[in-house]
Amino acid sequence: MSGAISPTGISNPSTQSSFSSAGTFSVNHARRLVNDYAEGESPSDQTSKVLNAFLEHLPSESAGVVADDIISNSNDLATLADHYIISILVPIRAGGGKTPKPVSLRPGMSGDEISDIASTITPQTRNQSKLKADCLARDGNRCQLTGAYDINTMRRLLSDSEVDKLTTVDTEASHIIPFSIAAFSEADRPSKSQIWEAIYHMFPNILSFTTDDINDTRNAMTIWAALHPAFGRMDLCLEPTATPNRYRVKKYPGLPSIFNQHLPSDGFVTFTAHDGRFPLPDPKLLSLHASVGAVLHASGMAEVIEKVLEDRKELRCLAADGSTQVGLLLLAF
């Protein structure tokens, strides 16, 4: 298990050592509780897969939070797993699609905690053209994953013959934490507050990041438009390394193979700011994105959520009463 996340989003050895005693005990105890639950689990119940994936693939600090939740709610693990699915996995995975309305609080959580969040979040409006312009200026007019130049910018700056010598693509500004969780009506404020509370609870190192920051360049990167859906599905993630602004490119089976030839051959990307007015992507946010991606794929929920997003009507007949994680997802949309 990786070390705890420091303020820069990188593993912190000193924090890891303090976690290793009580924290490791809690995680191991939580695993035993989940494995005990799994012995009587029905084939349609994915509780143990979901909870074990969170314990295995989150940074140490976040895994400790999950372990404490499991220990505190050992008699209601299915409800806890449902809460994680609806309030963490689906909203972050759904991206530009419809964000679900959470259907249950975390076991033992009071409504006061949601009310506190509700009073602080503010609905945001999309300003994609400005965000793209800011990111392009910062990123040197290039996709941060492939190095290809933005075709429209190059055509404005260079002659046709000069552009022909470059590798160019259409680019977009991709949010890391999806914009959809910061866009809401007053009627949706309680459900979006529950999502933000769940994220802050599991990832306390991003408490300073709010809805007001959703369109900040710290939460965005210039990306080849064709790659954007894969990043949103978390079939492609960036894992922070010990070197500032250097990331390991993590690829999952859902990534179309045609992109492999365009991604870095050594499996790493390094971000450089070409315009200091606009901060580089925040490693804490990219770490959260990568961690949730790992949980989605390890638990099998990436495929489940993809099927729901693709064809909700067809899946509705599988578990419309919400008796399984799939049924819960259906009710949430």
Side-chain angles (χ1 to χ4, degrees):
M1 185 174 295
S2 60
I5 296 296
S6 72
T8 60
I10 312 301
S11 294
N12 185 327
S14 63
T15 308
Q16 184 177 13
S17 62
S18 64
F19 174 86
S20 61
S21 53
T24 301
F25 173 82
S26 295
V27 170
N28 289 337
H29 181 39
R31 285 199 181 102
R32 288 193 293 270
L33 291 172
V34 173
N35 291 336
D36 288 345
Y37 176 92
E39 291 181 2
E41 204 171 33
S42 68
S44 62
D45 189 352
Q46 300 182 60
T47 294
S48 64
K49 290 182 65 176
V50 169
L51 294 181
N52 274 325
F54 274 101
L55 288 171
E56 182 66 26
H57 294 283
L58 293 186
S60 296
E61 182 181 22
S62 297
V65 170
V66 172
D68 289 343
D69 284 348
I70 290 170
I71 294 168
S72 299
N73 299 283
S74 58
N75 293 324
D76 202 5
L77 294 183
T79 301
L80 180 64
D82 290 346
H83 171 76
Y84 287 164
I85 293 169
I86 292 299
S87 297
I88 297 286
L89 297 185
V90 176
I92 295 179
R93 164 60 184 80
K98 182 178 179 182
T99 302
K101 296 180 180 180
V103 297
S104 66
L105 298 177
R106 186 172 62 255
M109 184 174 63
S110 71
D112 291 342
E113 296 171 74
I114 298 299
S115 297
D116 290 342
I117 297 292
S119 66
T120 62
I121 63 174
T122 55
Q124 302 300 307
T125 57
R126 190 181 290 275
N127 192 348
Q128 202 67 13
S129 59
K130 180 181 185 305
L131 182 62
K132 180 177 180 179
D134 292 348
C135 286
L136 282 171
R138 180 198 64 192
D139 300 334
N141 300 313
R142 306 176 83 166
C143 166
Q144 288 190 293
L145 295 176
T146 66
Y149 287 91
D150 177 72
I151 178 62
N152 292 322
T153 304
M154 292 300 101
R155 291 188 65 188
R156 287 197 303 270
L157 297 177
L158 304 174
S159 67
D160 289 346
S161 60
E162 291 172 315
V163 172
D164 287 342
K165 298 175 183 178
L166 302 175
T167 299
T168 57
V169 295
D170 289 314
T171 68
E172 294 176 349
S174 173
H175 288 83
I176 300 167
I177 305 303
F179 172 81
S180 58
I181 68 171
F184 54 90
S185 65
E186 281 305 305
D188 290 332
R189 182 181 290 274
S191 61
K192 291 301 174 79
S193 299
Q194 183 175 322
I195 291 170
W196 281 96
E197 191 283 332
I199 292 172
Y200 287 150
H201 174 75
M202 188 173 289
F203 300 95
N205 65 328
I206 71 153
L207 280 170
S208 62
F209 181 82
T210 71
T211 52
D212 293 338
D213 301 314
I214 203 75
N215 288 318
D216 192 278
T217 59
R218 291 177 296 130
N219 186 46
M221 50 191 289
T222 302
I223 192 170
W224 180 10
L227 264 176
H228 195 170
F231 186 75
R233 291 193 308 268
M234 299 181 184
D235 289 334
L236 178 70
C237 298
L238 298 178
E239 300 175 337
T241 69
T243 303
N245 301 315
R246 179 174 168 84
Y247 298 88
R248 184 188 307 276
V249 179
K250 178 66 176 179
K251 299 181 288 185
Y252 292 99
L255 179 70
S257 59
I258 193 171
F259 293 123
N260 290 331
Q261 61 187 299
H262 301 287
L263 293 169
S265 58
D266 65 354
F268 293 89
V269 294
T270 300
F271 295 161
T272 301
H274 296 265
D275 188 328
R277 293 175 298 167
F278 309 115
L280 287 168
D282 190 329
K284 297 189 295 295
L285 302 180
L286 284 167
S287 176
L288 185 158
H289 181 273
S291 297
V292 172
V295 171
L296 279 164
H297 290 281
S299 66
M301 289 306 298
E303 292 79 6
V304 172
I305 295 171
E306 182 67 19
K307 289 178 181 177
V308 173
L309 292 172
E310 286 181 349
D311 196 344
R312 300 180 190 122
K313 288 184 178 179
E314 181 177 344
L315 283 177
R316 194 173 297 278
C317 65
L318 294 180
D321 62 353
S323 59
T324 68
Q325 271 86 359
V326 173
L328 187 73
L329 284 166
L330 293 170
L331 289 176
F333 277 78

